Amino acid sequence: MHVKTAEYTHSAAKPSQFVKRPVPHFVFAGRSNVGKSSLLNALLNRKSLAHTSKTPGKTRLVNYFLVNDRLFFVDLPGYGFAKVSKKEQEQWGKLVDAYLRETPYIATVFLLMDIRHDPSAHDKQMLEWLLHYQIPFNLILTKADKLSKSQVIRQRAQFARIFGLAPEIIFATSSANKFGVQDVWSQITHHYHRMRELMFDSKETSC
Ligand code: GTP
Ligand code: MG
């Protein structure tokens, strides 16, 4: 897919602000600091459309980015950041939960995990949640530039084993050197067309 336009549209702090427009959503979810906003920028070839930070907990709202006027990239607040108060964590948890339950046009959720670390209890919970609600997802292993090629292969197999997933839906990526970013685009194109077919019996599926 060729990105012609990409713009930040707005942020939602509560469910009444969620986008209900019938447009496929591609969702970036995962622990705080895992690289959600960075991957979104890398995919769109933009340096700082989504704000990134060394300080975890930067993304506190549900942030919407409209791409080619045809699909949304949605940057979710990260979970599991200990330094944020329990109350605030609960608020974000509720917001994310509401977003996933109330958004009818989720094409796929990119669930991000750091390739270097074993999944946390939160990661496992999130994946079980997606399986339970039958929301399509891809597992994205971030920061692959931090490992050697052979370690990347090993870790991908390890994540597949831990979650009992087919390795085909797991992608190793790096926003720093763009490794794997094209594979994520292939998934976006695939899910975009699948979603459009579900949404309308439409001929207008090119993007
Ligand atoms: P929250 O908004 O707090 O939930 O974090 P986030 O998941 O959006 O993470 P963000 O994209 O802000 O990245 C966090 C830190 O990791 C930043 O310092 C990034 O520069 C760094 N980072 C993200 N992706 C990569 C990557 O692929 N490789 C390397 N080396 N660093 C990365
Ligand atoms: Mg972020």
Side-chain angles (χ1 to χ4, degrees), residues 3 65 88 149:
V3 178
F65 301 87
E88 210 171 0
K149 270 193 183 146

Side-chain angles (χ1 to χ4, degrees), residues 2-14:
H2 176 61
V3 178
K4 283 173 238 151
T5 56
E7 55 175 323
Y8 163 77
T9 62
H10 74 291
S11 301
K14 51 185 180 189

Side-chain angles (χ1 to χ4, degrees), residues 20-31:
K20 295 280 154 58
R21 199 173 137 190
V23 170
H25 287 209
F26 293 85
V27 183
F28 297 81
R31 173 175 80 61

Side-chain angles (χ1 to χ4, degrees), residues 6 36-53 65 175-176 178:
K36 298 176 295 296
S37 304
S38 300
L39 180 62
L40 196 150
N41 287 330
L43 286 161
L44 297 175
N45 220 356
R46 299 280 285 270
K47 267 213 164 66
S48 50
L49 190 63
H51 297 298
T52 63
S53 172
F65 301 87
S175 302
K178 298 280 185 101

Side-chain angles (χ1 to χ4, degrees), residues 70-85:
R70 283 165 186 260
L71 55 97
F72 278 107
F73 276 11
V74 183
D75 195 12
L76 292 183
Y79 49 75
F81 178 47
K83 279 189 188 156
V84 171
S85 74

Side-chain angles (χ1 to χ4, degrees), residues 107-171:
T108 195
V109 172
F110 293 120
L111 180 54
L112 276 59
M113 296 183 199
D114 190 318
I115 195 162
R116 298 167 296 175
H117 307 305
D118 282 342
S120 68
H122 276 120
D123 291 331
K124 290 180 181 167
Q125 218 175 11
M126 186 73 192
L127 199 136
E128 268 167 31
W129 204 98
L130 294 172
L131 287 169
H132 179 76
Y133 286 98
Q134 300 188 330
I135 298 174
F137 69 92
N138 290 107
L139 194 56
I140 305 286
L141 306 178
T142 61
K143 311 194 185 185
D145 55 286
K146 300 272 192 186
L147 297 182
S148 69
K149 270 193 183 146
S150 58
Q151 285 172 319
V152 166
I153 293 167
R154 210 173 315 137
Q155 281 302 88
R156 191 164 168 242
Q158 170 76 349
F159 274 88
R161 209 163 27 241
I162 290 173
F163 290 118
L165 296 172
E168 294 76 49
I169 68 159
I170 305 178
F171 297 90

